[in-house]
Amino acid sequence: MNIEDSIDFEPKSKVGKRTSNRRLIGMIFLVFLCYNFVFIYGKNIIDKCNRACFSFTGELAQKTFEEKPDALAATQVASKTPAPPPKEPEKKYSGIDHAHPVTLDLKKTSPPVIPMCAGIPDFDSPDIPEFPQLRTYKGEEWSNERTVIKMTCDGENLYAYFKCFDASPKNIVTEYSRNQGATAAWMDDSIELFLKKDQISPNYCQYIASASGVSLNNCYASGAMPFDFKDVKNPVDFQYPEFEVYVMPDGFEVFMTIGLSNVGIEQPLKPGDKILMQISRNYRGQKENGAHLQLFPNYIYGDTRLPMDNHDRRTFILVAIGQ
């Protein structure tokens, strides 16, 4: 018997199939690696492209609930660069006689009235009046982009709606909060709402919503100067606000639901009651071409000797609750 007869050779057809399978597996693995590489290192570019496309069709809608302290801390740790806190006026302004502020003699803003409404309102209703238009912090009229503001109150909660019109939504600034976390929301195209119970209340709250969908709230204690403040911890029974942000082809919309007990209002508000308020819109955020808009302009209600400051409590004006 020949030696070759004693060896069981594998058919060539099986060897060919096995080689083809290995090549197929290798190709699939290579495609998988390429896919991972693209989506790991190009996810930011892909995300920006998607948002740019969806924003023109109105399909991009974001709904967020205010982050709890632990979640917010995790966001800050994961951010690339810590966001700078809101700038407080330098100590040199402490030498100014703030009891006699210097202001501009311009037309003041007519205080709006917030109607009572049971439950979540329909802001399309003509029964809910619009607030006066925002102006620059120097008191100048600003007609480049309108800001529609409407609010209602059910006694215990404040419901707020903001429509920030924008002729170039592709230029809306959102990168600060995306790259640095929620503490940088005020540096984006954003809305800031300040609430204070009354003139003698020691604390007040700030609610911020960025066009990116990122939101933030802060509680502060008033300092000795009209613009001094320091962070304070949220009370144990603090009601975290609900925010909704929608990017549209003509700008972005913001909805806020805020518990009034956060600013020390223990009894439900009723018609005739008032609450201190300031509203700011950061158009183009903190970019050089940005505009700082306010409901109650700083240079009319605050002091022209100071820089623009949303925290100047002299610009917090009483707004009445209507029928």
Side-chain angles (χ1 to χ4, degrees):
M1 182 177 61
N2 294 331
I3 296 177
E4 290 83 354
D5 296 336
S6 64
I7 299 175
D8 184 14
F9 288 102
E10 187 174 11
K12 292 183 179 180
S13 59
K14 290 186 178 180
V15 174
K17 288 182 179 179
R18 183 176 299 174
T19 302
S20 298
N21 289 340
R22 288 177 179 174
R23 288 178 180 173
L24 179 60
I25 293 173
M27 290 294 292
I28 293 174
F29 182 69
L30 182 60
V31 171
F32 177 75
L33 289 179
C34 293
Y35 179 87
N36 279 351
F37 179 84
V38 170
F39 280 87
I40 290 175
Y41 295 97
K43 60 182 180 181
N44 290 334
I45 298 176
I46 294 172
D47 178 65
K48 289 180 181 179
C49 291
N50 286 339
R51 290 179 178 277
C53 293
F54 289 151
S55 64
F56 288 103
T57 62
E59 296 178 63
L60 179 58
Q62 300 163 327
K63 181 174 181 178
T64 63
F65 294 87
E66 183 53 48
E67 298 169 288
K68 304 295 188 203
D70 291 342
L72 177 58
T75 300
Q76 294 173 354
V77 170
S79 64
K80 297 179 180 178
T81 306
K87 291 183 179 179
E88 297 183 39
E90 299 177 16
K91 294 299 181 183
K92 65 181 180 181
Y93 298 119
S94 60
I96 294 176
D97 179 10
H98 296 290
H100 300 87
V102 177
T103 59
L104 296 178
D105 186 19
L106 295 177
K107 181 180 179 181
K108 294 184 179 295
T109 301
S110 300
V113 176
I114 301 175
M116 294 291 292
C117 179
I120 299 176
D122 175 12
F123 284 112
D124 291 330
S125 171
D127 295 332
I128 304 176
E130 291 185 16
F131 275 41
Q133 279 298 302
L134 302 182
R135 292 185 278 172
T136 71
Y137 71 96
K138 294 183 179 180
E140 304 158 336
E141 291 188 4
W142 198 78
S143 57
N144 293 21
E145 305 284 6
R146 293 179 61 241
T147 307
V148 174
I149 303 172
K150 293 184 176 184
M151 292 189 188
T152 66
C153 178
D154 63 7
E156 297 180 347
N157 298 285
L158 185 69
Y159 302 94
Y161 166 76
F162 307 87
K163 176 59 183 287
C164 300
F165 284 93
D166 199 312
S168 302
K170 65 179 181 180
N171 294 324
I172 289 176
V173 177
T174 59
E175 63 261 31
Y176 292 104
S177 64
R178 293 190 189 282
N179 295 332
Q180 302 178 27
T183 54
W186 63 279
M187 300 176 70
D188 290 339
D189 266 280
S190 56
I191 285 290
E192 299 183 43
L193 172 62
F194 294 81
L195 295 176
K196 195 169 185 281
K197 178 181 178 181
D198 51 39
Q199 296 287 2
I200 62 175
S201 178
N203 297 340
Y204 65 98
C205 288
Q206 175 193 30
Y207 300 92
I208 310 173
S210 163
S212 68
V214 175
S215 54
L216 180 69
N217 71 263
N218 294 305
C219 289
Y220 300 106
S222 302
M225 298 295 176
F227 45 77
D228 284 339
F229 62 90
K230 64 178 181 179
D231 294 330
V232 295
K233 290 184 177 180
N234 294 341
V236 177
D237 58 349
F238 187 84
Q239 297 183 54
Y240 285 89
E242 180 180 340
F243 296 87
E244 294 182 39
V245 179
Y246 299 90
V247 178
M248 314 291 279
D250 57 351
F252 66 98
E253 296 180 328
V254 175
F255 294 82
M256 298 184 184
T257 301
I258 297 169
L260 294 172
S261 62
N262 293 344
V263 291
I265 297 177
E266 299 176 355
Q267 299 296 325
L269 293 180
K270 56 186 184 300
D273 290 339
K274 297 182 178 181
I275 184 172
L276 286 167
M277 178 182 298
Q278 171 67 300
I279 297 173
S280 302
R281 176 182 176 183
N282 301 307
Y283 176 78
R284 295 295 177 265
Q286 301 305 306
K287 299 286 187 179
E288 291 184 1
N289 63 337
H292 302 290
L293 310 176
Q294 296 177 327
L295 180 62
F296 304 114
N298 223 144
Y299 278 18
I300 297 176
Y301 294 91
D303 198 321
T304 60
R305 296 169 296 180
L306 303 177
M308 193 283 300
D309 187 355
N310 293 334
H311 286 265
D312 192 332
R313 267 86 63 195
R314 291 171 297 192
T315 68
F316 292 15
I317 306 302
L318 288 169
V319 174
I321 305 300
Q323 295 292 337

